[in-house]
Amino acid sequence: MRTVKIGTLDKAISRMGLGTWAIGGGSAWGGDKDKNDSIATIQAAPKLGVNLIDTAPGYNFGTSERIVGEALKGMNRDEVAIITKFGVVWDREGSLFNKVNGRQLYWNLSRESILEEIDKSLERLGVDYIDIYMSHWQAVEPYFTPISETMDVLNELKAQGKIRAIGAANVSPAQVEEYLKWGSLDIVQAKYSVLDRAVEDELLPICKEHGVALQAYSPLEMGLLTGTFPRDYKPVGAQIPKKWFQPENLPRVFDYLDELRPLAEKYNCSVADINMAWILAQDEKVVLLSGATTADQISQNTRATEIELSAEDVAMIRDMAEALDK
């Protein structure tokens, strides 16, 4: 497994992380999973080379964090790096986010909220520090908190040893610049796939300029880029409104995937591996987030981190992807 240096963390971080959004269970998170299976999956990750575990309080109202915490009891804490997040709350008011299972979620990045959230996350995870503490979403009116004030709190938590590095998810390039004005921003999380390359316009260049790692979520576009869906596939759930699942776009994506199959044969891997390897090829500080729910899935996904695409193949895949936008 290839690794990357993130901020001042004292451990090398795998270029693929395990996302626990689905492991948290609940109807809005892909349905309930067997807790023991989820714990076994998390505990298997370091053995398969994946030492970055990503969670958040907002994943089924703390359930994901609690499951990660149970898994950590049977692990060597030093062999994993934990990302958890703040800014999405349900027991404190804030700017309206969305409602899940009848419970309202809010955005709140105030000092008071962060100080309450960090202690609850530490308790649920059963740890005394968090490797990377990440803003889940950014503050908006009417409960707007300037990034300077949020960073004041994060810098305090870092000085106290409660967190080791700072991250920000779902940020604009201007917000990244603002974070960097007030301290060290070590990693940014953003959507990035062969089909959605918007981060390349400004966000990725800013990250490269300042040595900030970029963690790509949804690199397989909700499963579409795995190459396993049949041509008569009907989108379900959250897929339905997405651009590439629309009836006029799906056939074109399937054509693209068919064009990739000779490359998959060339590198002795799957189409999914090629699509993930292409993301990793964009910069040495790009990290993938995999939502695997079994050890077998982790094992399959890690193959992408070992593929060294040639410069010619990287360029060819870009040309193929850009042709889809025309």
Side-chain angles (χ1 to χ4, degrees), residues 237-259:
Q239 296 172 343
I240 294 172
K242 301 299 183 182
K243 171 184 175 180
W244 294 108
F245 284 92
Q246 298 309 302
E248 66 273 18
N249 292 329
L250 263 177
R252 297 164 57 227
V253 177
F254 287 131
D255 289 344
Y256 157 77
L257 293 170
D258 285 343
E259 289 183 65

Side-chain angles (χ1 to χ4, degrees), residues 149-226:
E149 294 182 18
T150 296
M151 281 293 285
D152 280 345
V153 185
L154 296 177
N155 288 331
E156 287 178 22
L157 294 176
K158 196 172 179 181
Q160 293 167 7
K162 287 187 174 182
I163 67 175
R164 301 286 173 85
I166 294 171
N170 304 301
V171 283
S172 68
Q175 288 169 331
V176 170
E177 298 279 15
E178 186 68 12
Y179 272 96
L180 289 166
K181 280 173 58 178
W182 303 103
S184 174
L185 181 65
D186 303 299
I187 185 169
V188 162
Q189 194 178 95
K191 188 177 185 299
Y192 191 14
S193 77
V194 171
L195 298 178
D196 186 347
R197 304 177 304 283
V199 298
E200 296 179 348
D201 295 337
E202 295 181 72
L203 188 62
L204 183 56
I206 287 176
C207 288
K208 288 183 179 182
E209 178 185 351
H210 295 284
V212 179
L214 187 143
Q215 187 177 42
Y217 69 78
S218 293
L220 293 176
E221 286 289 337
M222 306 180 98
L224 181 57
L225 291 176
T226 61

Side-chain angles (χ1 to χ4, degrees), residues 22-324:
I23 280 174
S27 60
W29 294 272
D32 289 329
K33 307 292 185 295
D34 182 278
K35 187 172 75 170
N36 291 329
D37 288 345
S38 296
I39 290 171
T41 298
I42 295 165
Q43 292 179 338
K47 301 169 187 173
L48 296 168
V50 176
N51 70 347
L52 183 63
I53 311 296
D54 180 284
T55 185
Y59 299 160
N60 200 7
F61 308 99
T63 301
S64 175
E65 282 190 330
R66 283 189 286 270
I67 291 173
V68 171
E70 289 192 48
L72 288 173
K73 292 176 183 176
M75 302 169 69
N76 178 351
R77 174 67 179 92
D78 292 334
E79 71 179 358
V80 293
I82 303 298
I83 292 180
T84 196
K85 307 179 187 78
F86 64 92
V88 174
V89 297
W90 58 92
D91 50 3
R92 169 190 291 271
E93 286 195 359
S95 303
L96 289 177
F97 182 24
N98 60 17
K99 186 174 284 189
V100 179
N101 296 339
R103 300 177 76 177
Q104 182 65 54
L105 290 169
Y106 301 92
W107 283 317
N108 192 319
L109 285 85
S110 67
R111 175 184 180 84
E112 295 76 19
S113 188
I114 295 173
L115 291 176
E116 183 176 324
E117 283 195 73
I118 183 69
D119 287 339
K120 288 183 177 179
S121 287
L122 289 169
E123 181 179 357
R124 283 190 289 258
L125 290 165
V127 297
D128 56 9
Y129 73 93
I130 291 163
D131 298 271
I132 302 169
Y133 203 39
M134 178 179 286
S135 54
H136 203 160
W137 290 88
Q138 304 311 304
V140 296
E141 297 289 359
Y143 286 79
F144 177 76
T145 302
I147 288 173
S148 59
E149 294 182 18
T150 296
M151 281 293 285
D152 280 345
V153 185
L154 296 177
N155 288 331
E156 287 178 22
L157 294 176
K158 196 172 179 181
Q160 293 167 7
K162 287 187 174 182
I163 67 175
R164 301 286 173 85
I166 294 171
N170 304 301
V171 283
S172 68
Q175 288 169 331
V176 170
E177 298 279 15
E178 186 68 12
Y179 272 96
L180 289 166
K181 280 173 58 178
W182 303 103
S184 174
L185 181 65
D186 303 299
I187 185 169
V188 162
Q189 194 178 95
K191 188 177 185 299
Y192 191 14
S193 77
V194 171
L195 298 178
D196 186 347
R197 304 177 304 283
V199 298
E200 296 179 348
D201 295 337
E202 295 181 72
L203 188 62
L204 183 56
I206 287 176
C207 288
K208 288 183 179 182
E209 178 185 351
H210 295 284
V212 179
L214 187 143
Q215 187 177 42
Y217 69 78
S218 293
L220 293 176
E221 286 289 337
M222 306 180 98
L224 181 57
L225 291 176
T226 61
T228 59
F229 291 175
R231 279 193 171 260
D232 60 354
Y233 180 76
K234 303 298 181 186
V236 296
Q239 296 172 343
I240 294 172
K242 301 299 183 182
K243 171 184 175 180
W244 294 108
F245 284 92
Q246 298 309 302
E248 66 273 18
N249 292 329
L250 263 177
R252 297 164 57 227
V253 177
F254 287 131
D255 289 344
Y256 157 77
L257 293 170
D258 285 343
E259 289 183 65
L260 274 188
R261 296 193 191 282
L263 271 185
E265 292 180 9
K266 173 181 176 179
Y267 289 96
N268 191 28
C269 65
S270 69
V271 167
D273 295 336
I274 293 290
N275 283 310
M276 290 190 288
W278 186 87
I279 297 293
L280 291 171
Q282 303 312 307
D283 189 70
E284 62 183 10
K285 297 202 78 166
V286 170
V287 179
L288 287 179
L289 187 58
S290 162
T293 56
T294 67
D296 284 345
Q297 289 175 357
I298 296 174
S299 182
Q300 291 170 21
N301 289 340
T302 56
R303 294 180 307 192
T305 68
E306 304 302 327
I307 297 171
E308 295 278 359
L309 294 174
S310 70
E312 293 77 16
D313 289 337
V314 170
M316 181 176 69
I317 294 169
R318 180 177 295 279
D319 289 342
M320 293 162 59
E322 289 179 350
L324 292 174

